[in-house]
Amino acid sequence: MLKRQNPSAPEHRRDLAADGGALSMSHNDSRSFFNLSQLVLSAGQIKPSPALKHSKITYFEVEIVDVQSKRQICIVDKVLPASTVLDVKHKFHKACPQWYPSRVGLQLERNGPFLKDSISIQSLAVSSIITLYFTDLGQQVGWTTFFLTEYTGPLLIYLLFYIRLSTIYDQVESTKNFRHPVVHLACFCHCLHYIRHLLETLFVHKFSEGHTPLKNMMKGCAFYWGFTSWIAYYINHPRYTPPSFGHKQVSYAAFAFLMCEAGNHFINVALAHQTNTGNRTCFPSPTYNPFTWLFLLVSCPNYTYEAGSWISFTVMTQTLPVGIFAFLMVIQMSLWAQKKHKLYLKRFYPEVRRKAAMIPIIF
């Protein structure tokens, strides 16, 4: 019998190794790829290296143009977005020293309103170049200087007439005629009125950092100083005649004058306290002080008390110049009160809608 011959062991191993080697190589390659893919998946998404951030600041260029001639005056460059109109005025002053910031008026449009100093430049920008129109507001003075000058004049002028200078009155006539007590009382009330104004200007009122044209101060001084001279001349004249109803008329009018002065002071203190605390969300309400109860009827009680002071002074002295001055003051203060009342209606409509501006029913 013939026996089947099996390949020798070495050859058989070589054949198996050759066949199995090819299989193992393909199997190892697939396994290596599988392991690599698993490693990538387990490592997560490869994050790109963070890009370097370069800080870039945007500047604006402000072109200042004359409102009349439309001629370019200068260009204020490198204006930060957080800058305000006041900052632009300061840079404009450096370029043109003859115009200091309080004298510069800037408008976004030729016929538009003047921009407030607190407005940011970024809110005005449509592009990187902003055009503003320049107006010379003239010589300016601060509000504190304005009121101190306006109120100091009447105080000193009245005292000059009260001592009866020889250059104003006849000395012989001045020594002969007896002064009625109302003359001394009128001097006291008049001085008290303007001393109160001066003290409130220094210690009560909080004025903004704005300015007003010098010509406005000249007009105010001419009005107050001129009328004070006319009033003081008649009241302190040696031939001055006392009021018709005598002591009763003087006493009642003087009492009303003092009450109005006190009420005006307490109202100004209440308004200043509201401004200092920053509580502007509601209209000023009356307090335990009876003088503040006028807030229930009118929105501008300080003007009401001011008008009452001059009406009382007119009754107390019974002179024509005081009456004309009181009449003009009532008209002017009623206009101021109506203007302020309109602003109150926009801000505090529910609280102010049933109030009058200065005098109930009338204004």
Side-chain angles (χ1 to χ4, degrees):
M1 286 181 66
L2 294 176
K3 293 183 180 178
R4 181 182 299 177
Q5 295 181 356
N6 291 332
S8 61
E11 292 179 357
H12 179 67
R13 288 191 185 121
R14 281 198 301 268
D15 294 337
L16 289 177
D19 295 338
L23 291 174
S24 63
M25 286 180 61
S26 61
H27 178 70
N28 288 338
D29 290 341
S30 62
R31 188 170 182 179
S32 299
F33 178 78
F34 175 77
N35 292 337
L36 180 62
S37 62
Q38 288 292 104
L39 180 62
V40 172
L41 291 176
S42 62
Q45 185 178 1
I46 299 176
K47 296 182 179 180
S49 59
L52 294 177
K53 296 181 179 179
H54 300 281
S55 59
K56 185 178 180 181
I57 301 176
T58 304
Y59 292 102
F60 292 103
E61 289 185 357
V62 180
E63 180 188 18
I64 308 295
V65 179
D66 186 77
V67 70
Q68 298 295 336
S69 62
K70 298 182 181 180
R71 181 178 58 86
Q72 183 189 94
I73 300 176
C74 72
I75 293 180
V76 181
D77 57 352
K78 292 186 178 181
V79 179
L80 293 173
S83 300
T84 61
V85 174
L86 183 60
D87 298 329
V88 174
K89 289 183 179 180
H90 283 289
K91 290 189 175 184
F92 178 60
H93 173 58
K94 290 181 179 179
C96 304
Q98 67 271 28
W99 291 307
Y100 51 90
S102 61
R103 187 168 181 164
V104 176
L106 297 178
Q107 302 164 276
L108 193 60
E109 299 176 356
R110 291 189 64 192
N111 298 324
F114 290 109
L115 298 173
K116 295 182 179 180
D117 292 343
S118 59
I119 295 178
S120 64
I121 294 299
Q122 193 171 12
S123 63
L124 305 175
V126 178
S127 63
S128 60
I129 301 177
I130 305 171
T131 301
L132 297 180
Y133 294 93
F134 161 75
T135 301
D136 184 9
L137 300 178
Q139 191 75 17
Q140 302 286 305
V141 293
W143 285 108
T144 303
T145 304
F146 176 89
F147 287 111
L148 289 178
T149 306
E150 194 175 66
Y151 296 143
T152 303
L155 179 63
L156 300 177
I157 290 172
Y158 196 97
L159 292 175
L160 292 177
F161 282 92
Y162 176 74
I163 62 178
R164 289 183 176 178
L165 296 175
S166 58
T167 55
I168 301 175
Y169 302 111
D170 182 63
Q171 285 298 105
V172 177
E173 194 175 17
S174 299
T175 55
K176 286 183 179 180
N177 293 339
F178 172 74
R179 291 197 189 191
H180 194 273
V182 70
V183 177
H184 303 290
L185 182 61
C187 180
F188 170 78
C189 292
H190 190 275
C191 292
L192 176 67
H193 177 78
Y194 285 102
I195 289 175
R196 178 184 63 81
H197 274 302
L198 290 172
L199 293 177
E200 288 178 352
T201 301
L202 293 174
F203 303 109
V204 177
H205 296 301
K206 302 297 180 183
F207 301 106
S208 62
E209 296 181 357
H211 297 75
T212 184
L214 180 62
K215 60 182 180 180
N216 289 348
M217 189 181 76
M218 301 300 293
K219 291 179 182 178
C221 290
F223 177 77
Y224 280 97
W225 294 15
F227 263 102
T228 300
S229 302
W230 191 23
I231 291 169
Y233 177 81
Y234 272 85
I235 295 177
N236 296 286
H237 199 280
R239 297 182 184 179
Y240 169 75
T241 55
S244 304
F245 296 97
H247 180 70
K248 288 185 177 181
Q249 179 178 344
V250 174
S251 300
Y252 291 146
F255 178 77
F257 178 86
L258 295 176
M259 291 297 102
C260 289
E261 287 293 304
N264 201 343
H265 172 70
F266 288 119
I267 292 296
N268 289 331
V269 170
L271 293 174
H273 179 71
Q274 179 201 22
T275 304
N276 292 338
T277 56
N279 183 17
R280 299 187 181 184
T281 57
C282 59
F283 185 75
S285 57
T287 62
Y288 62 88
N289 190 338
F291 290 102
T292 62
W293 295 350
L294 199 57
F295 273 121
L296 296 172
L297 301 176
V298 296
S299 59
C300 303
N302 52 331
Y303 295 140
T304 307
Y305 283 122
E306 184 78 9
S309 295
W310 286 111
I311 293 173
S312 302
F313 194 78
T314 303
V315 176
M316 182 178 65
T317 57
Q318 196 175 316
T319 54
L320 179 64
V322 182
I324 296 176
F325 180 74
F327 176 74
L328 295 177
M329 288 295 290
V330 170
I331 293 177
Q332 181 61 69
M333 285 184 290
S334 66
L335 296 176
W336 289 340
Q338 290 179 16
K339 183 178 179 180
K340 189 177 262 188
H341 185 70
K342 290 180 180 179
L343 296 177
Y344 283 152
L345 285 174
K346 294 180 180 179
R347 296 176 58 187
F348 315 111
Y349 177 74
E351 297 92 343
V352 185
R353 62 188 179 91
R354 293 186 179 181
K355 301 179 189 293
M358 189 178 81
I359 300 177
I361 300 174
I362 299 177
F363 297 116

